């Protein structure tokens, strides 16, 4: 795999893979996503812990759903590299078999496992990785352990995988960041303890900063949230200049770090979010999904974004189709072209990935 500049952690939803596929070709080559397969049904999954009773009991339906989702993802990736983490479906070995076979044999994607997973599932992923010839990613959830990450656990996993370090990617995942100082300490421990354990092919440090809390939007329609994920990576990179290889930047784009743990909901809140990524923060605006004058209210929120001082405009060389869509939405008329929740998050992903991929080369 050609080493990427940027590893966004994305859920396997149409809004995300359509956004990736919409990136300009030169930008897309700099981006290698880590796709987390969302659960098909049931309540939100706890990060790093399988449900005591898995709610997805219909194996044929799950198999069809998962295979279709992997085939759609493979088409969107168009032969470019990345990772797939089937953490929420991998226990259903029979149902996931065809979809994972397609990933191994029809794409350049690498499978992902982790030290907290069942040894039989780790070996199954390793067998598929060996079949593909592309190796495997090891995702270590730094935020779900009480003590420091265990080198012994990771070494045991490496021995079980029976793959050389030249085929192993280490993904250090800090998860959702609410305290940047504590999260940075956690990241430094992960880099120091685990990053130097073996000569990894790739080391990625990823974290999420896009907020989940919507309560502030009930009072005020807009919010600015800091990009703690960006701050953490820059701090760690500066603190460890002696690292032998690049520490790749990862984030959760413009979704909360737990969004891939949630299945599709038939009903949600009566509004969605317009999102815009600036150098050091996110601008988030609440837009209604229904109700009187919905389109006019959506356009008013889009105007707040396009008049934001950090908005790059539609003529800027770093802009994307996302800036152009937001500008058209802001100054359009009528309901056509005002979008919906899926469109807004697709635009958010497109703008964010395009911006970060262009931002990174100047900071490496």
């Amino acid at each position: 795999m050609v080493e990427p500049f940027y590893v966004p952690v994305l859920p396997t939803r149409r809004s995300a893979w359509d956004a990736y596929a919409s990136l300009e070709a030169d930008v897309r080559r700099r981006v290698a996503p880590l796709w987390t397969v969302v659960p098909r049904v049931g309540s939100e999954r706890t990060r790093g812990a399988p449900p005591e009773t898995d709610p997805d009991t219909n194996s044929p339906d799950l198999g069809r759903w998962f295979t279709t989702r992997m085939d759609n993802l493979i088409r969107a990736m168009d032969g470019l590299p990345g990772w797939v983490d089937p953490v929420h479906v991998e226990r259903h070995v029979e149902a996931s078999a065809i979809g994972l076979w397609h990933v191994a044999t029809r794409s350049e994607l690498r499978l992902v496992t982790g030290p907290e997973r069942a040894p039989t599932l780790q070996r199954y992923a390793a067998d598929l990785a060996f079949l593909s010839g592309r190796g495997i990613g090891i995702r270590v959830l730094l935020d779900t352990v009480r003590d420091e990450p265990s080198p012994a656990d990771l070494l045991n996993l490496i021995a079980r995988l029976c793959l050389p370090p030249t085929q192993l990617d280490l993904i250090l995942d800090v998860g959702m960041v609410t305290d940047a100082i504590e999260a940075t300490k956690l990241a430094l421990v992960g880099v120091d303890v685990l990053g130097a354990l073996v000569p990894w092919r790739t080391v990625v440090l990823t974290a999420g900063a896009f907020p989940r809390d919507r309560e502030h939007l009930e009072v005020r329609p807009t919010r600015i949230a800091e990009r703690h994920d960006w701050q953490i990576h820059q701090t760690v990179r500066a603190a460890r200049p002696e690292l032998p290889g690049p520490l790749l930047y990862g984030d959760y784009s413009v979704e909360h770090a737990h969004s891939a743990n949630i299945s599709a909901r038939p009903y949600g809140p009566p509004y969605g979010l317009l999102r815009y990524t600036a150098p050091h923060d996110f601008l988030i605006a609440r837009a209604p999904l229904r109700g009187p004058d919905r389109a006019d209210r959506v356009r008013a929120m889009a105007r707040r974004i396009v008049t934001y001082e950090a908005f790059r405009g539609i003529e800027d060389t770093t802009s994307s189709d996302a800036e152009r869509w937001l500008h058209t939405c802001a100054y359009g008329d009528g309901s056509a072209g005002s979008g919906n929740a899926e469109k807004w998050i697709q635009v958010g992903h497109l703008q964010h990935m395009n911006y970060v991929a262009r931002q990174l080369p100047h900071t490496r």
Side-chain angles (χ1 to χ4, degrees):
M1 182 170 74
V2 176
E3 186 175 69
F5 285 113
Y6 171 40
V7 182
V9 183
L10 301 170
T12 53
R13 296 192 177 98
R14 183 172 60 182
S15 56
W17 67 59
D18 280 355
Y20 172 81
S22 299
L23 290 168
E24 293 182 7
D26 65 318
V27 175
R28 198 160 61 246
R29 285 191 293 269
R30 305 179 200 176
V31 179
L34 167 55
W35 298 98
T36 305
V37 179
V38 299
R40 187 178 72 96
V41 297
S43 58
E44 180 176 344
R45 307 300 199 268
T46 300
R47 182 173 161 90
E52 294 183 7
T53 302
D54 199 311
D56 206 337
T57 58
N58 191 320
S59 185
D61 281 356
L62 174 59
R64 287 187 290 270
W65 174 89
F66 179 67
T67 301
T68 299
R69 191 151 293 224
M70 291 300 96
D71 288 345
N72 287 335
L73 178 60
I74 290 168
R75 281 192 291 271
M77 291 299 298
D78 194 24
L80 291 174
W83 294 267
V84 171
D85 188 349
V87 59
H88 298 309
V89 301
E90 63 185 356
R91 293 198 301 167
H92 301 271
V93 175
E94 182 177 350
S96 63
I98 295 176
L100 293 179
W101 177 265
H102 288 181
V103 169
T105 61
R106 300 182 182 181
S107 78
E108 290 300 313
L109 293 161
R110 298 171 181 173
L111 290 177
V112 169
T113 190
E116 82 285 359
R117 306 183 195 186
T120 54
L121 297 176
Q122 294 169 343
R123 276 299 319 156
Y124 179 44
D127 290 343
L128 287 168
F130 179 80
L131 171 71
S132 74
R134 293 188 297 276
I136 197 168
I138 299 176
R139 187 178 187 179
V140 180
L141 306 179
L142 298 178
D143 59 326
T144 61
V145 294
R146 295 182 180 178
D147 302 316
E148 292 184 356
S150 169
D153 290 343
L154 197 50
L155 286 172
N156 289 337
L157 172 57
I158 293 170
R160 192 174 298 119
L161 296 177
C162 300
L163 293 169
T166 54
Q167 292 193 8
L168 300 178
D169 308 309
L170 177 64
I171 302 164
L172 299 171
D173 188 349
V174 178
M176 181 59 199
V177 178
T178 54
D179 185 325
I181 294 176
E182 290 303 313
T184 301
K185 293 177 183 177
L186 198 61
L188 283 168
V189 170
V191 169
D192 292 342
V193 175
L194 305 181
L197 199 59
V198 298
W200 305 99
R201 173 174 54 187
T202 306
V203 180
V204 180
L205 176 63
T206 190
F210 194 86
R212 182 177 191 172
D213 174 38
R214 291 173 177 251
E215 291 181 1
H216 63 280
L217 292 171
E218 299 293 347
V219 179
R220 293 184 299 173
T222 61
R223 176 185 178 184
I224 292 177
E226 289 187 71
R227 287 177 61 195
H228 292 309
D229 39 18
W230 179 257
Q231 297 167 9
I232 290 168
H233 187 272
Q234 297 302 292
T235 301
V236 171
R237 183 70 265 188
R240 297 294 184 268
E242 73 283 0
L243 288 175
L247 181 65
L248 300 187
Y249 172 72
D251 62 27
Y252 280 77
S253 186
V254 290
E255 293 207 62
H256 187 272
H258 295 177
S259 64
N261 301 341
I262 305 170
S263 61
R265 297 286 190 267
Y267 303 102
Y271 59 85
L273 302 178
L274 296 173
R275 306 153 164 90
Y276 194 78
T277 302
H280 303 290
D281 52 45
F282 300 104
L283 175 62
I284 308 166
R286 183 188 70 204
L289 294 172
R290 46 189 178 268
D293 303 319
R294 186 201 72 87
D296 290 341
R297 293 160 64 198
V298 170
R299 296 189 192 283
M301 290 297 100
R303 283 194 295 276
R304 293 199 180 201
I305 289 180
V306 301
T307 55
Y308 181 44
E309 61 181 1
F311 185 75
R312 281 171 287 285
I314 59 175
E315 302 298 333
D316 192 287
T317 57
T318 65
S319 296
S320 67
D321 285 344
E323 274 88 2
R324 289 183 278 277
W325 187 91
L326 285 165
H327 188 273
T328 300
C329 177
Y331 298 108
D333 185 44
S335 61
S338 60
N340 54 28
E342 183 179 59
K343 181 63 178 180
W344 301 333
I345 196 167
Q346 177 192 340
V347 168
H349 281 310
L350 174 58
Q351 185 270 325
H352 179 91
M353 287 190 286
N354 175 75
Y355 178 66
V356 172
R358 296 182 184 279
Q359 183 183 31
L360 275 166
H362 302 291
T363 61
R364 287 169 61 85

